[in-house]
Amino acid sequence: DTAVSQTPKYLVTQMGNDKSIKCEQNLGHDTMYWYKQDSKKFLKIMFSYNNKELIINETVPNRFSPKSPDKAHLNLHINSLELGDSAVYFCASSLFAGGPLVEQFFGPGTRLTVL
Amino acid sequence: ILNVEQSPQSLHVQEGDSTNFTCSFPSSNFYALHWYRWETAKSPEALFVMTLNGDEKKKGQISATLNTKEGYSYLYIKGSQPEDSATYLCAFRNSGNTPLVFGKGTRLSVIA
C-alpha cells in the first residue's frame, strides 16, 4: 500500500491550460505539503495544510491553488500554466505540523512539462 | 532567507569505502535538522531527525551528528555499498511554525 500517492506521475500540457495534481495519504496524518523541485534541484515548500486548513503559503503565484477536501487529500490546481511552471512537484505528509521530531513522508512526484 | 548548504555536491567512492558529508545551517534559532535519503526515481525517505546539540543517530552503517552551536551536521556511511548510492538531503527548521528548508543534497555514487 502506497503511503503517499500522487496522480498523475507525468503531465505534459500546453501553456495557458489549467491542470490539477492529486495527492492522497493513507497514513492518518494531519498535515500535508506541496513542494516544487526547481531547476536548481532544490526542494522548496509551496503550501502546507493542517487538518484541511492552510498554515503555510510561501510566496506562490495565485495561479496555484491548493484544495484539501479532507485531511487525507491535498490537491494542487494550477491556472494559466506558464513555461516556468515546468518542474517536479512533490506532495508530502507528516503526523502533525509543529513538533521538532516529526518527519515527512513524500509521494513519488509529478513531473509537469509545459510546452 | 535561510541558507542550507551541503558539501560536497557529489561524491564517487569505491564499495567498502567509508565516507562523510556536511550540512551547514544557521546557528541561531535552531529547532530541528532532518536527513533524507533520495534514490533515483523514488521519493525522499527520512533517515534521521535531530533536535539537540551533540545528538548522534545511527541506522545500520549510516550515522549522523549534530552541532547546533556552530551550525553543522555530518552524515557518515561506513563501508559504502552500491545500494547506498542516492542523494542525501538535509533540511533545517528554525521553529515549529516554519517549514523545512532543504539543501541541494549530496549525490553519492558507490562503485562496485
Side-chain angles (χ1 to χ4, degrees):
Chain A
D1 251 359
T2 308
V4 183
S5 59
Q6 293 178 230
T7 52
K9 197 166 179 183
Y10 300 97
L11 183 53
V12 181
T13 188
Q14 298 284 339
M15 224 166 42
N17 283 350
D18 303 339
K19 289 292 176 189
S20 291
I21 307 172
K22 294 188 176 181
C23 178
E24 177 181 359
Q25 53 95 3
N26 62 6
L27 297 165
H29 287 172
D30 278 356
T31 309
M32 294 184 74
Y33 310 82
W34 276 109
Y35 287 88
K36 180 180 179 182
Q37 187 186 17
D38 65 17
S39 55
K40 295 182 181 175
K41 304 294 183 191
F42 276 110
L43 269 178
K44 286 191 177 168
I45 186 75
M46 298 173 69
F47 300 103
S48 176
Y49 269 69
N50 189 59
N51 251 324
K52 303 193 295 172
E53 284 193 25
L54 180 68
I55 54 170
I56 292 173
N57 181 346
E58 288 283 308
T59 327
V60 177
N62 56 17
R63 298 183 294 104
F64 289 77
S65 51
K67 280 220 164 49
S68 183
D70 54 62
K71 72 176 193 178
H73 295 86
L74 181 62
N75 303 324
L76 185 64
H77 188 76
I78 316 169
N79 286 332
S80 304
L81 277 154
E82 300 177 358
L83 293 176
D85 297 332
S86 296
V88 184
Y89 292 84
F90 286 91
C91 177
S93 73
S94 64
L95 192 57
F96 46 87
L101 290 173
V102 175
E103 62 191 42
Q104 295 185 13
F105 293 76
F106 283 82
T110 295
R111 183 176 289 278
L112 171 65
T113 305
V114 183
L115 303 173
Chain B
I1 297 174
L2 293 176
N3 215 22
V4 178
E5 303 274 351
Q6 289 189 247
S7 62
Q9 200 170 342
S10 65
L11 195 50
H12 296 257
V13 301
Q14 295 288 332
E15 184 176 357
D17 285 353
S18 294
T19 187
N20 66 83
F21 21 93
T22 308
C23 172
S24 302
F25 50 85
S27 55
S28 55
N29 298 326
F30 178 84
Y31 189 70
L33 194 284
H34 294 221
W35 280 101
Y36 286 83
R37 183 168 178 273
W38 193 358
E39 285 182 74
T40 305
K42 292 189 178 179
S43 319
E45 287 183 357
L47 277 174
F48 306 115
V49 182
M50 295 186 286
T51 57
L52 297 174
N53 185 42
D55 255 354
E56 287 189 31
K57 300 256 176 162
K58 194 169 173 353
K59 191 181 273 192
Q61 298 298 96
I62 305 178
S63 59
T65 60
L66 178 66
N67 184 325
T68 60
K69 295 191 187 314
E70 293 180 44
Y72 64 83
S73 174
Y74 292 139
L75 190 82
Y76 299 92
I77 304 179
K78 190 177 167 188
S80 308
Q81 298 298 309
E83 53 267 31
D84 293 324
S85 298
T87 296
Y88 291 84
L89 292 172
C90 75
F92 166 78
R93 208 168 169 195
N94 64 357
S95 81
N97 298 321
T98 53
L100 281 176
V101 177
F102 282 84
K104 241 193 220 183
T106 292
R107 183 185 213 95
L108 174 67
S109 300
V110 182
I111 304 156

